[in-house]
Amino acid sequence: MRLDAIDRKILAALQADGRKSIAELSGEVGLSPSPCLRRVKTLEDEGLIARYAAVLDQRKAGLPVSVFVSIKLERQQEEALDSFSAAIRGWPEVLECYLMTGPRDYLLRVVAADLDAYERFLKEKLTRLDGIASIESSFALEQVKYSNILPLP
């Protein structure tokens, strides 16, 4: 999908505040409400706007601990990768999971209420998966930057 300057303005505005009314949005991007709504619907229908969500404060939600977990599998065969991915998708503590290049196969971002909660996650879930060769956990001390706003070209 080709984006023009107005589409980019709409997307930037909605990324900053997805609860804007069409009236507010249209005023901000310089369109009347009807054409603005049509553009938003097109962006949704094309899948560029995947969904709308509330962004929670991790600490205030009672999950102040962020752990980055590097996983090395015993085998990098498709079946092992698919099995690991399927298990991870069902765990709410895992906010992000990436299949990686390099010495590790996966990188996860896990949130927990405290160290004991992370230890339970590790012992009761992660270490019980078949096919894991190694697990390395790194605890974030401070979140320097977090953004879910894509820098549109």
Side-chain angles (χ1 to χ4, degrees), residues 1 7 10-11 14 22 25-26 29 31 33-46 49 52:
M1 177 175 186
D7 291 329
I10 289 170
L11 291 169
L14 289 175
I22 289 298
L25 184 61
S26 65
V29 302
L31 285 178
S34 291
C36 184
L37 178 60
R38 278 195 299 275
R39 283 181 180 249
V40 170
K41 285 295 296 163
T42 299
L43 294 166
E44 291 170 347
D45 292 345
E46 291 291 323
I49 297 174
Y52 295 91

Side-chain angles (χ1 to χ4, degrees), residues 91 93-94 110 117-126:
W91 296 342
E93 303 91 342
V94 178
V110 176
Y118 177 69
E119 183 180 5
R120 280 191 305 278
F121 167 79
L122 189 64
K123 288 180 176 178
E124 296 172 8
K125 292 183 177 179
L126 200 52

